[in-house]
Amino acid sequence: MEYRIPAQAEFELSSTPIESSQATRTQCSPAAVKSPCNKDGTPHRSRIDVPPELLIIIFEAFLSIVDPMSLDWKGACKEYIESLFSLRLVSRTWRDILDDTPSVWVVLTSTVPLSVNHTNITRSGGAPLIIHFGDLGDSFVQPEEFAKLVGPIRDRWKEVCVDEGARTAALKCLTSPTPMLETVRLHTYLRSGAISQPLELLGGETRNIRHLDLHGSIVNWNRSTFHGLKHLRLAYVDRYGLTMDMILEILADSPDLEYLYIDSMTFPVSAAPPLLPILLPHLRTIELLFLPGNVIFPLLRHIEAPHCQRVRIQAENVRNTNEWVEESMGSFEPLLREMHEKSGRSQLIVSPGFVDWKAPFKRGSDKHGYRSFEVQIRSDSFVSLLRWIERVVGGGDLEGLEMKVCITGENRLPDPEITSILQRIRNVTELRAYQGPENSQEMVRFLCDLDDNTIPFLLSLRVLHIDYEYIAADEILLILRTRLNACADDGGSSKLPHLDVVVELPVEARPEPTASLDFAIIAQIRAIPGVTFTLTRPWEYRDTAGMCAIVWDDERGVARWM
């Protein structure tokens, strides 16, 4: 296992990697120590006297942040310690200042040798500690040995993180009250039958906990378990007695909550009358993922988060979609519109029984990045989903919204309400028919039958993706001419955006015959201004797409690809 902390760093305090004459004054950076003079030999002024208090602030800013709630917390502890010991090697002054500052020696982790942890305990004085029980594959010592080292100083624990491989040893340390403990992150991934009795966390004395992250519940839940949380993250904890009422009570007792994450859970929902709305003015992030509709929508119905900056919702198996969405998403709709406007654009995909609305992916301060919002709903009612979309859009154009609609047997266009909604929503930029003759013919009827409406449907349409196996070239030409003629009657074709018609050919090896290509009609399509016509096959590279035939160019007297 790679280990970059110098073996002599924590014990050989007399080691001096630079000349002592250069270490007589406090330096502000390693570069200042290595370059005492300019190239012409004259002294430079990069060496300055810095008060030790200010130097400590600089050191702490340089050291890796150990945040147990971060996605990178597993490697952060080891990286922090390696950086700390590297700083000690710059000069005696830096070494002495660091050794006399207990607050920088508070990280203890099983991913470094016990000797390093002993050194950290000694130098940390009585400062609150960050404890990390790492996985067996990442650790230098067995979890039991690490538990023996850190267990006697449990009264100094402020933050504790437990990985899967260390759960048995770590949980023995978490059954007694630990008054200073504020952060608990237990990623134990328990399966059914893996533990006979749920853990009575900290002997029930949990009121001081402010940051809670449980993956695979081991907690004995009751109505007074947690209060005043700032960070709540739960996943796979439903089978140990947690109920919706308990979740709502925890939220109601945590007005300063800043982060809420619930993933892959199902638990009983009370039939009692709804509680008053729970106002969470400090909530910045809410992530409700892979939850059934009867869990996710009651949560949303009770939460008011006016200042939320990130929203991720993934609702599964939603029944009675119209009722749930209309009653539960109302308070979040203005927030989603505001997030869309701040992002400048967003994409909304409506496919069989599924809606996915998301903002562009952004790079954050860390390497992971994020989206300001993402809403995914799986439902049995395409009409109800479209109603909700229309309400969020506001009955008109939502600038920057790109909407992709996929036509299948489950969301058939002959439904007059579906057709009417699509007429009113002017943000549909892509229309695609899945394989099947019914789907393709419905698209033809939808785009060609204007019902005496002089404005063509889907004014924002930029991509039309169809299956050539079920739509003939003359039907594609009819679609395009109908749109152009209707728009010309209304003031000119310049109102229509450029349209990319992508026609997907069947795979080459097919036992049954397929419709032949009418190259004369395709030539007419490609001659229409503002239209790009592309023939492609599944899994075909885009640089060969569209090269479907060789024709003779009479004007140039050469053969060319069509």
Side-chain angles (χ1 to χ4, degrees):
M1 181 180 299
E2 182 181 2
Y3 186 66
R4 297 193 298 270
I5 298 178
Q8 74 277 16
E10 65 269 23
F11 299 115
E12 297 182 13
L13 301 183
S14 61
S15 61
T16 310
I18 63 172
E19 295 182 9
S20 58
S21 61
Q22 297 176 10
T24 56
R25 297 166 63 88
T26 301
Q27 312 299 320
C28 64
S29 71
V33 176
K34 296 177 181 178
S35 304
C37 297
N38 296 322
K39 291 183 178 181
D40 59 2
T42 60
H44 65 67
R45 297 186 176 273
S46 63
R47 299 196 312 170
I48 57 176
D49 291 321
V50 179
E53 296 81 5
L54 180 57
L55 197 58
I56 286 299
I57 294 176
I58 296 173
F59 289 157
E60 290 177 343
F62 168 78
L63 293 170
S64 305
I65 297 176
V66 179
D67 180 7
M69 296 294 109
S70 144
L71 294 176
D72 296 324
W73 65 281
K74 286 190 174 183
C77 293
K78 182 178 178 180
E79 183 179 345
Y80 177 95
I81 294 175
E82 289 176 344
S83 300
L84 176 60
F85 277 89
S86 296
L87 280 177
R88 292 183 74 253
L89 297 179
V90 173
S91 73
R92 289 184 188 178
T93 303
W94 285 25
R95 182 195 64 194
D96 294 342
I97 291 176
L98 287 169
D99 290 353
D100 291 337
T101 307
S103 62
V104 301
W105 298 96
V106 297
V107 178
L108 306 179
T109 172
S110 62
T111 60
V112 300
L114 281 179
S115 59
V116 176
N117 287 304
H118 275 294
T119 301
N120 291 4
I121 292 174
T122 301
R123 293 173 180 161
S124 63
L129 298 174
I130 298 174
I131 309 297
H132 173 218
F133 288 82
D135 281 321
L136 291 176
D138 301 327
S139 298
F140 267 85
V141 295
Q142 293 295 318
E144 292 76 14
E145 295 182 51
F146 186 69
K148 289 180 181 179
L149 175 66
V150 300
I153 52 175
R154 191 171 57 248
D155 59 328
R156 293 173 53 195
W157 290 14
K158 185 177 182 180
E159 302 173 4
V160 61
C161 306
V162 180
D163 292 345
E164 160 67 10
R167 70 169 183 263
T168 303
L171 296 186
K172 293 179 180 179
C173 299
L174 294 173
T175 56
S176 302
T178 307
M180 193 179 290
L181 192 60
E182 295 182 357
T183 299
V184 176
R185 182 166 184 166
L186 305 180
H187 279 211
T188 52
Y189 304 96
L190 293 180
R191 302 293 182 263
S192 296
I195 187 169
S196 57
Q197 293 294 330
L199 174 70
E200 189 72 29
L201 184 62
L202 306 185
E205 299 293 330
T206 58
R207 299 183 67 88
N208 196 47
I209 293 179
R210 296 294 173 263
H211 308 275
L212 179 67
D213 182 351
L214 301 179
H215 192 126
S217 174
I218 51 173
V219 174
N220 184 19
W221 295 93
N222 58 66
R223 293 185 178 272
S224 59
T225 305
F226 300 103
H227 301 265
L229 294 176
K230 291 186 176 181
H231 186 124
L232 177 60
R233 185 181 178 97
L234 302 175
Y236 301 99
V237 301
D238 52 292
R239 61 181 175 271
Y240 292 103
L242 186 62
T243 66
M244 174 65 73
D245 289 344
M246 293 181 185
I247 290 287
L248 294 176
E249 287 192 19
I250 291 173
L251 297 180
D253 291 338
S254 304
D256 295 328
L257 189 70
E258 300 174 2
Y259 180 93
L260 175 62
Y261 177 103
I262 303 179
D263 181 5
S264 303
M265 294 169 53
T266 177
F267 37 75
V269 179
S270 173
L275 302 174
L276 294 175
I278 300 172
L279 180 61
L280 299 173
H282 303 286
L283 188 63
R284 296 295 182 265
T285 299
I286 177 170
E287 299 186 68
L288 306 176
L289 310 181
F290 304 108
L291 302 179
N294 65 337
V295 170
I296 197 169
F297 289 120
L299 276 172
L300 293 174
R301 185 187 306 169
H302 290 89
I303 294 175
E304 292 185 1
H307 305 297
C308 194
Q309 298 174 355
R310 291 185 61 189
V311 175
R312 286 182 66 200
I313 296 172
Q314 294 177 335
E316 303 284 332
N317 303 320
V318 179
R319 306 296 178 183
N320 302 320
T321 306
N322 194 48
E323 174 186 353
W324 283 119
V325 171
E326 288 186 1
E327 293 182 3
S328 306
M329 294 293 291
S331 63
F332 281 86
E333 288 169 9
L335 183 62
L336 293 173
R337 287 179 60 89
E338 180 182 351
M339 289 180 173
H340 163 82
E341 292 169 359
K342 289 182 179 179
S343 299
R345 61 188 179 90
S346 63
Q347 183 183 56
L348 196 157
I349 301 174
V350 187
S351 58
F354 181 75
V355 161
D356 183 8
W357 186 19
K358 56 191 175 185
F361 188 81
K362 297 180 179 179
R363 288 293 177 187
S365 56
D366 56 16
K367 64 182 180 181
H368 296 284
Y370 66 97
R371 301 183 192 275
S372 59
F373 72 89
E374 182 172 12
V375 178
Q376 296 180 356
I377 302 176
R378 295 189 181 275
S379 168
D380 59 348
S381 174
F382 180 66
V383 176
S384 297
L385 293 175
L386 276 183
R387 288 196 201 108
W388 176 70
I389 291 169
E390 184 182 22
R391 191 169 73 244
V392 174
V393 170
D397 294 340
L398 188 59
E399 185 176 356
L401 174 62
E402 298 180 357
M403 182 173 170
K404 175 181 177 180
V405 178
C406 302
I407 300 172
T408 71
E410 299 179 29
N411 53 10
R412 306 186 66 167
L413 289 175
D415 187 314
E417 185 172 4
I418 293 178
T419 303
S420 177
I421 293 175
L422 288 178
Q423 280 183 283
R424 295 191 296 267
I425 298 178
R426 303 295 180 84
N427 296 87
V428 179
T429 58
E430 181 174 349
L431 189 64
R432 175 168 187 168
Y434 277 80
Q435 289 186 352
E438 298 85 0
N439 303 328
S440 298
Q441 290 305 311
E442 286 169 12
M443 176 187 284
V444 174
R445 288 193 294 270
F446 174 67
L447 293 175
C448 293
D449 183 8
L450 298 181
D451 293 331
D452 298 325
N453 185 354
T454 57
I455 301 176
F457 294 172
L458 312 182
L459 282 170
S460 300
L461 189 66
R462 296 198 296 269
V463 178
L464 182 61
H465 198 130
I466 54 186
D467 191 336
Y468 192 86
E469 185 176 2
Y470 304 108
I471 295 183
D474 57 346
E475 292 176 317
I476 300 173
L477 182 61
L478 176 62
I479 290 173
L480 300 176
R481 284 180 172 173
T482 301
R483 287 172 55 80
L484 289 173
N485 292 338
C487 197
D489 295 339
D490 191 54
S493 60
S494 60
K495 291 186 176 182
L496 291 176
H498 184 94
L499 181 62
D500 186 8
V501 180
V502 180
V503 177
E504 189 168 299
L505 299 172
V507 294
E508 296 185 32
R510 294 182 65 109
E512 65 273 11
T514 58
S516 60
L517 299 173
D518 191 327
F519 295 117
I521 294 181
I522 292 177
Q524 295 181 53
I525 294 174
R526 287 182 166 169
I528 298 176
V531 174
T532 299
F533 185 90
T534 304
L535 286 167
T536 185
R537 295 185 187 274
W539 312 292
E540 182 179 41
Y541 291 108
R542 294 296 298 176
D543 58 353
T544 62
M547 297 183 179
C548 60
I550 298 178
V551 298
W552 186 258
D553 189 332
D554 293 328
E555 294 182 1
R556 299 173 57 192
V558 295
R560 62 179 177 84
W561 283 106
M562 176 180 176

